[in-house]
Amino acid sequence: MSAASSDGAPRGMASRPLSETPPIVSLQGITKSFSNATVALRNLSLDIGAGEFVSLLGPSGCGKSTALRLIAGLSSPTNGRIVWPGEAPGQGDHELGFVFQEPTLMPWASVFANVHLPLRLKGRSVAAARDEVMDALDMVGLAGFADSYPRELSGGMKMRVSIARALVTRPKLLLMDEPFAALDEITRFKLNNDILRLWETLDWTVIFVTHSVFESVYLSNRIVVMAARPGRVVADLAVDAPYPRTEEFRTSHLYSDYCRQASEALQATLNEEERAE
Amino acid sequence: MSSADLTGLSGPAPGLDVAERRKARRARVERWARWLLPVVVMAATIALWQWYVVAYKVPHYILPGPDRVVDALVRDWPMLWPALLVTLQITLGALVVATIGGVGLAVLFAQSKWVEMSFFPYAVILQVTPVIVIAPLIFIYVPSKIVGLLICAWIVAFFPILSNTTLGLNSADHNLRNLFQLYGATRWQTLRYLRLPAALPYFLGGLRIAGGLSLIGAIVAEFVAGTGGVGSGLAFKILEASYRLNIPRMFAAILLISLTGIIIFAVLSLVTHLLLRNWHESAVKRDG
Ligand SMILES: Nc1ncnc2c1ncn2[C@@H]1O[C@H](COP(=O)(O)OP(=O)(O)OP(=O)(O)O)[C@@H](O)[C@H]1O
Ligand SMILES: [Mg+2]
């Protein structure tokens, strides 16, 4: 089952090996058009294997956020199906975590209460959830800030609270929509490492939306390159570099090779767009 | 601070530059001025008033001096105080009912666009029709005078609470709403944990306006109701005093009404501050 649509894959692109295990989620021929006649996605097919760290990379407006929202069930496709092979049919809850571009914290609630929110919505009291919430805060290094309010935290810390909130339910699949786009580079590198560490220890599958070629290569073992108008997959690139990845990887030849490949794929979509205009 | 301790220095940090010190001084001066200036202006106004009345020999049945007003306040206190209590009772009663009614209606509106579309026009009609023209009808249809007064004051006061709370309930962050949806929050949970807290600053803004309006509503309704006897409020005392050309008493009653309004506003401002100081931009103290 190939994940990318067949057309337009640039030359020299490493094709992704087929995974043996069934995918955790499978998008099958997804089309999404909005009422204003924008076709955000056309005939998108994509399998996300369990345990993968997938980056969705593409120019602005190519439907990355739309794809993520569809997977999260926040909107429904105009055409096509989203299948969760590992789950009983009709099961509403997909054990998802979602991290938005902004931290999206409740300003009136303490850090603890913000991270507690997903569990509280499932009916777990503060007392019953305390250990899990503190665990999640511990994992992002903010256990000492449980009683602070969001306004007292820096941008990077807020983002970490947002990540703690996403992982407190121990989801199988984590969706991240340009989570670090608004942060400075140093903070972003640090959070990249945090995410990788969590991904390795927690047995997650991650779908990570980003604009940054460098970020996508550093983090993921698979990069799905998308093009706009209409949104579609144009390349599916495996990043075969061992984890744990460190600053050493950032300066390696392998890293720059992959970055070049991904940039070329991205550039191809942009050139195509220019030709179309 | 720990880094300052490391260097073994105490007292005001020597590193505090000139600009910082000037800013601190300005803040101190401002803190004093906030209290001092209104008091000085008030004292000057009263002195001017007194001087004018004496210098131009204004007869006291036209404009009494401040001394006579204070005199009337003290002498008529046994009659003004119960009247103030009546007015206060109506005002606070109306404010409580306006809060319950305003928030209740807003929550109802927030549950369904259809309900909002159907009933919001009535709220607007109640708001834009001057209470003074509805009040006589209300006193005809409602046998109890107190209840009539309450209804009038409520009509005046509830709209800002309703419209502000409606706005607040609808202004919860969109991503947060998505998050609630993602975790399968029920309608009630979304209301309780997201929309109501998000509406709190808006509601409190409405409440502060409603506090003043319920006092105005109570006074206007009393003027319309007009009957004397036991259980009449400050407005009736003013009417009565004006028939008797007892101008100092009128001033004393007006003074009491103004003070009441100021106290209501101050208390509601304090409540707002206490509820929002931890998180809302309007109440958070910023360093630097
Ligand atoms: N609610 C909506 N109504 C109408 N059009 C929409 C809506 N949401 C997205 N679109 C359109 O769909 C297309 C894809 O949007 P989407 O937000 O998924 O892009 P994106 O890849 O996430 O872009 P960016 O990188 O800028 O975030 C855009 O052309 C956008 O204008
Ligand atoms: Mg987006």
Side-chain angles (χ1 to χ4, degrees):
Chain A
M1 222 189 306
S2 166
S5 57
S6 51
D7 58 320
R11 241 173 347 103
M13 183 63 58
S15 68
R16 224 173 61 79
L18 298 175
S19 67
E20 299 80 33
T21 51
I24 187 168
V25 60
S26 165
L27 282 68
Q28 303 177 351
I30 296 289
T31 297
K32 174 73 185 176
S33 33
F34 289 102
S35 48
N36 61 1
T38 317
V39 183
L41 295 171
R42 175 170 295 161
N43 201 15
L44 176 91
S45 291
L46 189 64
D47 286 352
I48 305 295
E52 281 184 327
F53 198 124
V54 184
S55 286
L56 296 186
L57 181 65
S60 189
C62 70
K64 305 181 295 290
S65 300
T66 305
L68 227 51
R69 290 175 55 83
L70 287 170
I71 295 171
L74 292 173
S75 71
S76 42
T78 316
N79 260 317
R81 303 192 304 154
I82 297 178
V83 183
W84 301 77
E87 287 176 17
Q91 182 185 336
D93 229 345
H94 298 308
E95 298 183 46
L96 287 172
F98 203 118
V99 179
F100 298 90
Q101 178 167 350
E102 285 85 37
T104 314
L105 304 176
M106 301 179 290
W108 54 83
S110 67
V111 165
F112 182 94
N114 266 291
V115 176
H116 179 212
L117 178 75
L119 298 177
R120 170 186 268 171
L121 293 177
K122 295 196 162 36
R124 310 272 304 280
S125 69
V126 172
R130 167 152 279 128
D131 289 346
E132 282 152 90
V133 173
M134 290 316 289
D135 267 1
L137 280 174
D138 212 23
M139 275 186 253
V140 297
L142 286 178
F145 291 85
D147 297 325
S148 304
Y149 281 81
R151 65 172 180 87
E152 297 164 330
L153 307 179
S154 70
M157 289 158 90
K158 281 185 207 157
M159 213 59 229
R160 298 222 296 265
V161 175
S162 182
I163 293 167
R165 180 180 58 195
L167 61 82
V168 75
T169 56
R170 298 300 167 109
K172 291 209 192 81
L173 177 62
L174 184 67
L175 308 175
M176 305 181 93
D177 193 352
E178 300 186 45
F180 309 139
L183 301 176
D184 64 277
E185 194 160 69
I186 295 171
T187 313
R188 194 159 67 228
F189 283 180
K190 195 163 154 13
L191 287 177
N192 282 165
N193 290 333
D194 286 351
I195 283 293
L196 277 185
R197 184 173 45 77
L198 290 168
W199 174 69
E200 282 168 68
T201 48
L202 291 178
D203 192 26
W204 269 345
T205 307
V206 179
I207 305 180
F208 190 96
V209 167
T210 179
H211 273 130
S212 163
V213 168
F214 305 105
E215 190 171 52
S216 66
V217 172
Y218 184 69
L219 290 174
S220 39
N221 51 22
R222 177 181 172 198
I223 300 174
V224 173
V225 183
M226 295 176 66
R229 275 170 288 266
R232 64 202 185 278
V233 175
V234 291
D236 198 333
L237 159 72
V239 182
D240 279 320
Y243 293 93
R245 293 178 183 172
T246 57
E247 294 308 313
E248 214 169 305
F249 176 57
R250 253 190 229 286
T251 51
S252 70
H253 270 299
L254 196 58
Y255 177 72
S256 45
D257 281 349
Y258 278 122
C259 285
R260 191 172 322 115
Q261 277 188 42
S263 309
E264 277 166 11
L266 192 58
Q267 204 57 49
T269 73
L270 294 176
N271 293 342
E272 190 181 313
E273 231 173 81
E274 261 162 38
R275 266 201 306 281
E277 270 163 19
Chain B
M1 59 187 171
S2 53
S3 60
D5 292 341
L6 281 179
T7 61
L9 295 166
S10 57
L16 216 60
D17 57 47
V18 182
E20 280 294 323
R21 236 174 307 168
R22 194 176 303 150
K23 206 155 95 192
R25 195 169 52 227
R26 189 162 346 117
R28 221 166 24 241
V29 169
E30 239 170 64
R31 218 166 24 242
W32 276 103
R34 196 181 303 279
W35 290 102
L36 216 53
L37 283 181
V39 171
V40 168
V41 170
M42 185 66 82
T45 312
I46 291 173
L48 192 70
W49 176 8
Q50 178 73 30
W51 168 81
Y52 174 76
V53 168
V54 173
Y56 290 86
K57 299 195 177 56
V58 184
H60 67 81
Y61 49 84
I62 294 192
L63 178 63
D67 54 337
R68 275 177 186 275
V69 172
V70 172
D71 196 44
L73 192 60
V74 173
R75 197 149 22 82
D76 297 340
W77 187 251
M79 119 203 271
L80 289 175
W81 172 244
L84 174 64
L85 285 186
V86 172
T87 301
L88 213 54
Q89 215 178 333
I90 307 278
T91 303
L92 295 185
L95 189 58
V96 169
V97 183
T99 304
I100 297 170
V103 173
L105 276 178
V107 168
L108 198 68
F109 286 1
Q111 296 310 305
S112 149
K113 271 268 163 276
W114 304 107
V115 176
E116 181 177 349
M117 278 191 261
S118 311
F119 293 105
F120 200 74
Y122 288 100
V124 175
I125 290 170
L126 273 183
Q127 162 70 8
V128 298
T129 311
V131 72
I132 200 149
V133 304
I134 330 176
L137 283 175
I138 290 174
F139 287 113
I140 289 172
Y141 298 138
V142 180
S144 157
K145 190 180 137 199
I146 293 281
V147 175
L149 290 173
L150 262 179
I151 292 177
C152 291
W154 176 79
I155 288 176
V156 180
F158 94 104
F159 190 77
I161 295 187
L162 169 66
S163 71
N164 268 29
T165 310
T166 303
L167 180 65
L169 288 171
N170 290 329
S171 62
D173 181 82
H174 253 272
N175 283 339
L176 272 174
R177 279 190 208 206
N178 283 336
L179 197 78
F180 273 69
Q181 194 186 338
L182 192 75
Y183 288 119
T186 61
R187 197 178 262 263
W188 162 248
Q189 284 176 322
T190 309
L191 182 69
R192 165 77 184 74
Y193 297 120
L194 177 61
R195 301 182 76 182
L196 282 177
L200 185 65
Y202 295 82
F203 159 73
L204 288 169
L207 186 65
R208 270 201 292 191
I209 300 170
L213 284 182
S214 57
L215 179 63
I216 292 174
I219 298 283
V220 169
E222 273 180 34
F223 266 106
V224 176
T227 48
V230 268
S232 54
L234 276 178
F236 182 71
K237 297 298 171 215
I238 292 178
L239 271 182
E240 200 181 40
S242 79
Y243 295 148
R244 297 179 185 175
L245 278 182
N246 188 344
I247 309 297
R249 188 187 289 167
M250 287 178 77
F251 268 92
I254 292 172
L255 186 67
L256 280 181
I257 292 172
S258 297
L259 281 178
T260 308
I262 291 170
I263 289 171
I264 290 174
F265 184 80
V267 168
L268 293 179
S269 297
L270 182 70
V271 169
T272 302
H273 177 76
L274 291 180
L275 285 176
L276 300 185
R277 68 180 157 176
N278 274 333
W279 63 277
H280 199 254
E281 289 302 330
S282 65
V284 166
K285 237 205 218 93
R286 288 248 163 239
D287 294 338

